């Protein structure tokens, strides 16, 4: 004790003898932020503008302008990130969740998806939110150089996706829409929502006229979002001509895949955070872009997995914001809730991963929340979970066999195991690095990686345990693992060493970063996308870049086997026919099925496919077949008429087959009328109805 007193006394004496440090120079006086008052006149003016401006734009035929205005309005109230692009991405996710949540109201009121009342309500919600929380609209006008790279990747994606459509008329473009049965289903959900004025699961009886099945079971978030956007594009609630509607839907699908690729690149940058700068940013973004370009996931377009594409995009955005919530507590909870709603409405299978991501992030970042506000948090959580789970609850109550459906087979787009396993391991390695593991973002990232791996691995174990192998829905869920693996690359960038800014002149550093960035992107494209920069391949073989699915799509290699080249699009041949139509232009039963389905959709009668699915076993129509095969097909034609319970018309391509069918169905009830397609040579089916096609 005596020694301690001596040391304290000596220290005090030394401090008193030391010369006094100069007082710090007085800095600028910071004025406290003034919270705007809740002005009722300002609220009234804002609400009036929220209705007048959208109504004016829609009345002028430019209703699509409402969408960017709405996103900008939402973004101006959020306090997320520090650059404009980041703010707009957050606003887009919140807007999507808001549209889907308000869609429950739109589905029940008498105006359906009419763009004026729906836009007015959504814009009013933005105004009321700003007024209630006393938020002054403000957008950051800051940019990062890598914003140009993100935008450039979006442009490259769109170039290759849209390229095969250039110069083609609306009829010929359908060869890229009708590449799979699944897309015909998705299109029927899309038009069904517009016809019934809301979610099909809330109008199941009315929706049956427009789709074959799934009105109460299949997740409809993608179709609802696209239907609402389509109402803005047309500045009207009606669909217009069916052919034009199909062409618009195809463009929406292509835009969705371009957004998926761009969203993955942006999410990787966001997870990298402010320490991801210079050439390291280019290395990360270039690597993710190269893996997206070369991925087999372009096959999602060919297989018609439209909801999967948008679902994976929303998982990527939600995961990024949950890992690094550079935002206020209110925004954190809002994005968590609306992000979860968006994912579950678009593809409820992905809701399992999204739920783990949200719960894990909330636990890791729990210190952000005030203990006194836990009752509010609990109410918000119950409300969010209730809205998010509503479609799934309706699906189960609609007699959905969850276990049986989960084990179904079908054509799949396999998740690349190397990227899935290697990317998740890389993400875990980055999160466990000494400089990151003690940070909240590092811990949240680790939770996201482990949670996703556990969900995908657990589902694989369950399928192997029950059916002995992984099947269709495992590959779908594994897509979320691919997404987390790719965005996790962003966490590796800050671990790469860079030169200290203090040691290098500014101009020299910028030139060096520019050169290194170009080199990093070129390296990534060569290593991960197979770009050879003009060098010949071994023995003249096509390069890996030329052979990847995205390049094949851009060359037009993925055209439909029921497109105009095979005479399966039948709009012109259906002129004057008012009853359900079975189209038999091939001796391939699956082509006949898709041709019949397309004909039904072109006539806004998708519900006819409930009976016409029998066409899947009808392999006659283009040329005569042996008697046993012919008679087996005739039995399915008769079954289709019986299931529909009304007279049908069968359109065939071969006159001899047509005459043979007439004899076989003579006197059958319900009546079956046989019509032979006009002419021996193929003439484009819309040539008469749509000049210039």
């Amino acid at each position: 004790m005596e020694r301690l007193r001596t040391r304290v006394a000596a220290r005090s004496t030394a401090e008193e003898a030391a010369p006094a440090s100069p007082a710090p120079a007085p800095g600028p006086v910071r004025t406290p932020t003034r919270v705007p008052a809740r002005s009722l006149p300002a609220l009234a003016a804002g609400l009036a503008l929220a209705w007048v401006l959208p109504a004016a734009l829609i009345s002028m035929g430019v209703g699509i302008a409402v969408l960017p205005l709405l996103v900008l309005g939402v973004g101006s109230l959020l306090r997320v990130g520090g650059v404009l692009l980041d703010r707009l991405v957050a606003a887009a996710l919140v807007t999507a969740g808001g549209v889907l949540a308000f869609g429950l109201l739109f589905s029940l009121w008498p105006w359906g998806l009419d763009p004026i009342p729906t836009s007015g309500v959504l814009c009013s919600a933005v105004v009321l939110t700003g007024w209630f929380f006393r938020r002054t609209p403000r957008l950051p006008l800051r940019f990062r150089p890598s914003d140009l790279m993100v935008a450039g990747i979006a442009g490259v994606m769109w170039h290759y996706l849209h390229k095969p459509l250039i110069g083609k008329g609306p009829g010929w473009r359908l060869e890229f829409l009708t590449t799979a049965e699944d897309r015909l289903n998705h299109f029927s959900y899309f038009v069904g929502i517009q016809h019934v004025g809301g979610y099909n699961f809330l109008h199941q009886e009315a929706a049956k006229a427009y789709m074959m099945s799934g009105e109460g079971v299949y997740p409809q978030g993608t179709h609802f979002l696209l239907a609402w956007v389509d109402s803005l594009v047309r500045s009207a609630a009606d669909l217009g001509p069916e052919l034009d509607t199909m062409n618009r839907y195809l463009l929406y699908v292509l835009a969705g895949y371009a957004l998926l690729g761009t969203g993955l690149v942006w999410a990787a940058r966001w997870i990298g955070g402010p320490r991801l700068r210079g050439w390291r940013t280019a290395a990360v973004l270039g690597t993710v872009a190269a893996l997206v370009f070369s991925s087999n996931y372009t096959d999602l377009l060919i297989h018609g997995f439209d909801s999967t594409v948008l679902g994976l995009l929303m998982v990527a955005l939600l995961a990024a914001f949950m890992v690094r919530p550079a935002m206020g507590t209110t925004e954190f909870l809002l994005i968590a809730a609306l992000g979860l709603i968006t994912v579950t409405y678009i593809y409820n299978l992905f809701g399992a991963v999204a739920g783990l991501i949200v719960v894990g992030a909330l636990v890791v970042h729990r210190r952000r929340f005030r203990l006194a506000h836990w009752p509010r948090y609990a109410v918000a959580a119950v409300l969010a979970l209730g809205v998010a789970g509503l479609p799934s609850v309706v699906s189960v109550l609609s007699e959905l066999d969850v276990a049986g459906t989960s084990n179904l087979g079908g054509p799949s787009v396999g998740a690349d195991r190397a990227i899935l396993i290697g990317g998740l391991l890389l993400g875990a390695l980055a999160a466990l690095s000494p400089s990151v593991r003690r940070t909240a973002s590092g811990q949240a990232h680790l939770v996201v990686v482990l949670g996703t791996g556990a969900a995908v691995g657990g589902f694989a174990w369950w399928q192997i345990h029950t059916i002995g192998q992984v099947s269709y829905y495992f590959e779908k869920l594994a897509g979320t693992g691919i997404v987390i693996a790719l965005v996790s690359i962003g966490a590796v960038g800050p671990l790469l060493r860079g030169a200290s800014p203090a040691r290098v002149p500014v101009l020299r550093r910028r030139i060096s970063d520019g050169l290194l960035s170009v080199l990093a992107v070129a390296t990534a494209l060569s290593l991960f996308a197979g770009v050879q920069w003009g060098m010949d391949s071994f023995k003249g073989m096509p390069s890996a870049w030329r052979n990847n699915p995205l390049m094949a799509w851009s060359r037009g290699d993925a055209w439909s086997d029921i497109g105009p080249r095979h005479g399966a699009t039948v709009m012109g041949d259906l002129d004057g026919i008012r009853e359900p139509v079975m189209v038999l232009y091939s001796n391939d039963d699956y082509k006949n099925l898709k041709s019949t389905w397309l004909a039904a959709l072109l006539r806004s009668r998708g519900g006819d496919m409930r009976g016409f699915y029998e066409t899947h076993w009808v392999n006659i129509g283009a040329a005569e077949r042996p008697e046993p095969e012919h008679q087996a097909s005739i039995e399915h034609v008769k079954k289709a008429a019986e299931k529909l319970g009304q007279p049908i018309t069968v359109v065939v391509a071969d006159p001899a087959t047509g005459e043979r069918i007439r004899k076989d169905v003579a006197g059958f009830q319900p009546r079956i009328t046989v019509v032979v397609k006009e002419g021996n040579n193929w003439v484009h089916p819309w040539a008469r109805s749509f000049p210039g096609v």
Side-chain angles (χ1 to χ4, degrees):
M1 180 64 73
E2 188 65 25
R3 289 182 179 178
L4 179 61
R5 291 175 181 173
T6 302
R7 290 178 181 176
V8 172
R11 184 176 179 182
S12 300
T13 303
E15 290 176 352
E16 291 174 0
S21 300
V29 178
R30 299 184 64 181
T31 304
T33 304
R34 182 180 179 184
V35 179
R38 294 194 184 105
S39 169
L40 290 178
L43 174 62
L47 291 175
L49 185 63
W51 283 87
V52 172
L53 182 58
L57 292 172
I58 293 167
S59 299
M60 291 187 293
V62 288
I64 190 58
V66 173
L67 184 57
L69 289 177
L70 182 61
V71 172
L72 286 172
V74 172
S76 70
L77 300 182
L78 297 176
R79 301 296 180 257
V80 178
V83 298
L84 181 61
L85 178 60
D86 298 342
R87 181 72 62 83
L88 293 180
V89 172
L93 180 58
V94 170
T95 301
V99 171
L100 293 174
F102 274 102
L104 298 173
L105 169 64
F106 302 157
S107 300
L108 299 177
W109 71 8
W111 301 285
L113 294 187
D114 189 297
I116 291 180
T118 55
S119 300
V121 167
L122 291 169
C123 292
S124 296
V126 174
V127 171
L128 286 169
T129 300
W131 180 82
F132 182 80
F133 288 99
R134 301 182 182 185
R135 293 285 179 93
T136 301
R138 185 171 68 245
L139 284 170
L141 298 180
R142 294 180 56 213
F143 302 90
R144 291 179 62 178
S146 55
D147 289 351
L148 295 176
M149 190 171 179
V150 175
I153 290 169
V156 171
M157 289 285 293
W158 178 253
H159 166 73
Y160 286 119
L161 293 169
H162 186 255
K163 184 179 177 181
L165 306 185
I166 296 174
K168 294 183 181 293
W172 290 95
R173 288 186 176 197
L174 291 192
E175 63 187 10
F176 295 97
L177 176 78
T178 56
T179 52
E181 177 185 340
D182 274 40
R183 175 152 302 126
L184 300 176
N185 240 333
H186 286 299
F187 181 77
S188 71
Y189 301 147
F190 167 75
V191 297
I193 285 172
Q194 299 207 43
H195 279 296
V196 304
Y199 288 114
N200 294 313
F201 69 83
L202 295 178
H203 299 276
Q204 295 186 31
E205 286 302 315
K208 288 179 179 179
Y210 306 103
M211 60 192 66
M212 184 182 74
S213 62
E215 63 277 350
V217 175
Y218 196 86
Q220 298 158 19
T222 297
H223 319 99
F224 190 93
L225 282 175
L226 295 183
W228 180 71
V229 170
D230 191 59
S231 72
L232 296 179
V233 170
R234 285 190 49 75
S235 295
D238 65 285
L239 288 164
E242 294 86 348
L243 179 60
D244 293 343
T245 303
M246 284 187 171
N247 274 268
R248 293 196 307 274
Y249 182 79
L250 176 59
L251 294 178
Y252 301 152
V253 168
L254 298 182
Y257 190 73
L259 288 175
L260 171 60
T262 308
L264 290 170
V265 172
W266 174 86
R269 188 186 77 168
W270 175 268
I271 287 179
R275 293 189 301 156
L276 183 63
R277 293 193 173 278
W279 69 269
R280 297 176 296 173
T281 308
V284 166
L285 270 58
T287 298
V288 176
L291 291 171
V292 170
F293 290 152
S294 61
S295 168
N296 65 329
Y297 268 23
T298 304
D299 289 339
L300 293 172
L301 286 175
I302 300 171
H303 286 277
F305 296 158
D306 302 345
S307 291
T308 302
V309 170
L310 279 190
L312 293 177
L313 168 62
M314 298 307 173
V315 169
L317 301 185
L318 177 62
F321 285 122
M322 293 297 98
V323 168
R324 194 174 73 85
M327 60 192 78
T329 302
T330 301
E331 283 83 356
F332 186 27
L333 293 174
L334 181 67
I335 289 177
L338 291 179
L340 182 62
I341 290 171
T342 303
V343 172
T344 54
Y345 274 52
I346 287 178
Y347 209 77
N348 51 12
L349 178 64
F350 298 163
V353 172
L356 290 174
I357 290 172
V358 169
V359 172
L362 292 177
V363 171
V364 170
H365 297 290
R366 62 188 179 279
R367 294 183 179 179
R368 297 170 60 101
F369 309 119
R370 297 180 182 178
L371 184 60
H373 293 167
W374 276 110
R376 300 181 187 177
Y377 301 150
V379 172
V382 170
L383 182 61
L385 290 174
V387 175
L390 179 61
S392 298
V393 171
V394 173
S395 296
V396 174
L397 295 178
S398 298
E399 300 181 358
L400 172 67
D401 180 2
V402 178
T405 302
S406 299
N407 288 330
L408 289 176
S412 302
V413 178
D416 189 312
R417 271 41 171 184
I419 295 178
L420 174 65
I421 299 172
L424 292 179
L425 290 175
L426 184 64
L429 181 64
L432 290 170
S433 63
S435 61
V436 175
R437 65 187 177 212
R438 294 185 181 277
T439 66
S441 292
Q443 294 169 9
H445 188 196
L446 182 62
V447 167
V448 168
V449 169
L450 294 179
T452 304
V456 174
F459 192 60
W461 174 87
W462 183 76
Q463 284 201 327
I464 293 173
H465 180 72
T466 54
I467 61 175
Q469 63 182 1
V470 295
S471 64
Y472 178 81
Y473 280 109
F474 168 78
E475 301 298 345
K476 291 292 190 76
L477 187 64
T480 61
I482 297 291
V483 163
I484 301 303
L486 290 177
V487 302
S488 293
I489 296 174
V492 179
L495 303 180
L496 303 175
R497 295 185 62 182
S500 174
R503 298 178 183 176
V504 182
V506 174
L507 180 60
R508 180 180 171 186
R509 185 174 72 247
R510 289 179 178 175
I511 294 175
S512 175
D513 274 343
L515 293 175
L516 288 174
S517 296
V518 172
L519 182 60
V521 172
T523 302
L525 290 173
S526 295
L527 287 175
F528 304 114
V531 177
Q532 297 176 183
W533 308 108
M535 179 175 286
D536 291 337
S537 300
F538 177 67
K539 292 185 178 180
M541 297 292 289
S543 67
W545 171 257
R546 177 175 173 78
N547 279 345
N548 74 53
L550 181 60
M551 293 303 102
W553 173 275
S554 72
R555 292 192 301 269
D557 294 350
W559 58 274
S560 170
D561 58 358
I562 66 163
R565 301 177 191 182
H566 283 79
T569 46
V570 292
M571 190 66 173
D573 295 330
L574 303 182
D575 289 346
I577 300 176
R578 295 290 177 263
E579 56 198 27
V581 178
M582 178 183 289
V583 180
L584 307 179
Y585 282 175
S586 171
N587 283 354
D588 182 311
D589 51 6
Y590 191 53
K591 291 181 182 180
N592 284 338
L593 172 70
K594 291 193 289 184
S595 300
T596 300
W597 205 332
L598 179 61
L601 294 175
L602 284 167
R603 306 169 74 226
S604 296
R605 300 186 58 140
D608 289 348
M609 292 308 299
R610 294 175 185 271
F612 275 145
Y613 205 78
E614 291 291 328
T615 315
H616 204 334
W617 298 275
V618 179
N619 59 356
I620 59 176
E624 291 197 69
R625 302 283 282 181
E627 184 65 19
E629 294 183 24
H630 180 88
Q631 290 303 323
S633 296
I634 290 297
E635 290 304 313
H636 287 287
V637 173
K638 293 178 178 179
K639 285 183 180 179
E642 289 175 343
K643 287 183 177 181
L644 285 166
Q646 58 179 306
I648 68 171
T649 295
V650 177
V651 182
V652 299
D654 178 54
T657 301
E659 187 60 33
R660 194 172 174 186
I661 295 175
R662 284 193 188 97
K663 294 178 180 178
D664 292 332
V665 300
F668 184 81
Q669 293 297 324
R671 173 180 49 80
I672 300 175
T673 303
V674 180
V675 175
V676 179
K677 184 180 69 168
E678 298 176 4
N680 295 321
N681 298 320
W682 169 244
V683 177
H684 197 282
W686 291 284
R688 294 185 296 273
S689 301
F690 300 93
V693 176

